[in-house]
């Protein structure tokens, strides 16, 4: 039981660290490709930590686990592509 509590606290500390790092970067840094990729990577990592450790899906059925994990890999990728290549997105969605 004690090990589970320590793992949860460690997971929360990781999430808080990534959140504070993202907030600090958002306030201080100029928008660039590196910053966008860094923020999208932290979103994906935070999603994996939540799914694996806090939701307890580490040992769940593989299909359910991969459906949840795919959300945190697809969404940040789509955000990065829309920020990095807005002209292409406008061309694809305009009538």
């Amino acid at each position: 039981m004690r090990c589970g509590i320590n793992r949860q606290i460690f997971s929360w500390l990781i999430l808080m660290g990534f959140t504070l790092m993202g907030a600090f970067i958002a306030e201080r840094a100029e928008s660039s490709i590196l910053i966008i990729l860094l923020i999208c990577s932290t979103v994906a990592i935070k999603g994996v930590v939540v799914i694996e450790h806090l939701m307890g899906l580490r040992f769940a059925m593989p299909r359910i686990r991969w459906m949840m994990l795919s959300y945190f890999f697809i969404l940040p990728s789509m955000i990065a592509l829309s920020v990095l290549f807005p002209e292409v997105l406008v061309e694809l969605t305009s009538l």
Side-chain angles (χ1 to χ4, degrees):
M1 185 81 161
R2 180 105 172 119
C3 182
I5 292 172
N6 287 336
R7 184 173 294 163
Q8 286 182 343
I9 291 172
F10 182 71
S11 297
W12 275 110
L13 290 174
I14 295 273
L15 291 171
M16 291 299 293
F18 277 126
T19 302
L20 291 173
M21 182 182 70
F24 180 78
I25 290 171
E27 289 293 323
R28 303 272 188 234
E30 294 293 323
S31 181
S32 69
I33 294 173
L34 179 66
I35 298 299
I36 292 167
L37 293 177
L38 181 68
I39 296 298
C40 288
S41 298
T42 60
V43 169
I45 292 169
K46 286 168 58 175
V48 170
V49 170
V50 168
I51 289 168
E52 297 281 329
H53 299 289
L54 300 179
M55 290 178 68
L57 293 179
R58 183 176 213 167
F59 301 108
M61 292 176 52
R63 182 175 292 176
I64 294 172
R65 182 173 169 259
W66 283 110
M67 283 177 29
M68 292 296 292
L69 286 173
S70 67
Y71 176 81
F72 286 103
F73 291 112
I74 293 171
L75 187 67
S77 300
M78 290 174 60
I79 291 170
L81 289 173
S82 66
V83 172
L84 295 174
F85 305 107
E87 302 86 21
V88 175
L89 186 62
V90 168
E91 288 179 19
L92 290 174
T93 58
S94 61
L95 297 175

